[in-house]
């Protein structure tokens, strides 16, 4: 995995902002929040943006209510108040959030569309498929649809119905269609910088105060092999 780029706050891509929310795009290869590597994270960049824009002294509060894996890019939501963080966290837990991804995978998924149900558990740095009666197993569910296949690579649209660690990557690999670039789960590394061809391109959340739906979307950057396909 490549190290995160140093992201100047002026280059942070803002999708939506008000007194309660800050919704941004996470570049693939960047941490959602800091870890022991010390690499700059999206949370760091977002806090720096708020601090500079509003000239806030001291520490800036931002609640990270969900995460994307480091190799994965796309839409991320931060809460600007603790009340908003509690309400958004409850919405994610209660499956009140629509989560849509695009993935470029090897081969052609069989069947071309469907719903996947597995039970997953952590195993070291990986997530593995287990059985329903495993006490450590957690239900993982998604819907997928193959949009196009070119040169034994397919573009797949995914609706994530649960939110397990590495879930999409594991479940697509389980049906023989690993995400391109995802060497951890059997994919071939043909993407630059160690990123994987998986992108959180659309998120619909209930606003933490009004309850109205907030729709957020972003298209994948050029580091992915999307040029293989005629549509995104």
């Amino acid at each position: 995995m490549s190290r995160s780029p140093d992201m100047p706050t002026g280059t942070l891509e803002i999708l939506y902002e008000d007194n309660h929310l800050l919704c941004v795009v996470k570049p693939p290869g960047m941490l959602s929040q800091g870890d022991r590597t010390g690499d700059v994270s999206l949370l760091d960049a977002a806090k720096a943006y708020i601090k500079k824009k509003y000239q806030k002294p001291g520490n800036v509060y931002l609640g990270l209510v969900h995460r994307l894996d480091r190799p994965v890019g796309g839409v991320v939501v931060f809460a600007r108040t603790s009340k908003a963080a509690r309400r958004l966290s409850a919405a994610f837990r209660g499956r009140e959030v629509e989560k849509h991804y695009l993935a470029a995978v090897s081969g052609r998924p069989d069947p071309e569309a469907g719903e996947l149900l597995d039970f997953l558990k952590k195993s070291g740095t990986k997530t593995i498929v287990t059985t329903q009666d495993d006490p450590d197993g957690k239900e993982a569910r998604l819907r997928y649809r193959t949009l196009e296949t070119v040169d034994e690579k397919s573009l797949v649209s995914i609706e994530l119905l649960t939110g397990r660690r590495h879930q999409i990557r594991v479940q697509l690999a389980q049906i023989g269609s690993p995400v391109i670039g995802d060497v951890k789960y059997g994919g071939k590394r043909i993407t630059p910088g160690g990123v994987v061809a998986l992108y959180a391109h659309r998120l619909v959340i209930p606003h933490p105060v009004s309850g109205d739906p907030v729709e957020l979307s972003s298209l994948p950057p050029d580091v992915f092999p999307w040029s293989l396909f005629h549509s995104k």
Side-chain angles (χ1 to χ4, degrees), residues 198-219:
L198 176 64
Y199 196 78
H201 82 102
R202 182 170 173 265
L203 198 66
V204 183
I205 61 172
H207 191 280
V209 175
S210 70
D212 295 335
V214 178
E215 183 173 346
L216 309 156
S217 61
S218 172
L219 288 177

Side-chain angles (χ1 to χ4, degrees), residues 9-171:
T9 58
T11 65
L12 190 66
E13 185 177 348
I14 310 298
L15 298 175
Y16 180 92
E17 180 180 357
D18 64 15
N19 291 334
H20 313 282
L21 296 171
L22 178 65
C23 308
V24 303
V25 174
K26 184 180 93 66
M30 190 179 207
L31 293 164
S32 290
Q33 67 180 140
D35 67 4
R36 61 188 178 187
T37 65
D39 292 352
V40 67
S41 71
L42 187 67
L43 181 59
D44 296 331
K47 283 184 174 182
Y49 164 81
I50 292 291
K51 188 177 183 71
K52 180 178 180 180
K53 180 174 180 178
Y54 299 102
Q55 299 181 338
K56 286 184 172 289
N59 293 328
V60 171
Y61 176 84
L62 274 183
L64 182 63
V65 295
H66 69 121
R67 296 170 179 80
L68 295 178
D69 298 340
R70 181 168 187 168
V72 177
V75 179
V76 172
V77 174
F78 294 103
R80 293 191 58 192
T81 68
S82 57
K83 180 184 288 187
R86 288 194 299 273
R87 290 178 177 177
L88 285 170
S89 294
F92 274 92
R93 288 195 304 271
R95 303 183 186 178
E96 300 171 37
V97 175
E98 290 184 33
K99 297 172 282 188
H100 300 268
Y101 289 72
L102 289 172
V105 304
S106 297
R108 182 192 297 268
D110 184 16
E112 292 189 357
E115 183 168 315
L116 302 180
L117 170 63
D118 292 292
F119 291 85
L120 306 181
K121 70 175 182 180
K122 294 181 182 179
S123 178
T125 62
K126 297 183 70 173
T127 295
I128 61 173
V129 176
T130 185
T131 58
Q132 184 173 358
D133 57 2
D134 187 331
D136 295 324
K138 295 182 178 180
E139 182 182 289
R141 191 186 296 270
L142 62 78
R143 297 190 187 104
Y144 73 92
R145 180 167 57 93
T146 304
L147 303 177
E148 192 168 0
T149 301
V150 176
D151 296 333
E152 294 304 310
K153 299 177 181 67
S154 296
L155 182 62
V156 179
S157 173
I158 298 139
E159 182 182 3
L160 189 61
L161 303 177
T162 55
R164 307 306 180 196
R165 176 177 178 258
H166 300 176
Q167 178 184 334
I168 295 174
R169 299 160 63 186
V170 174
Q171 289 193 279

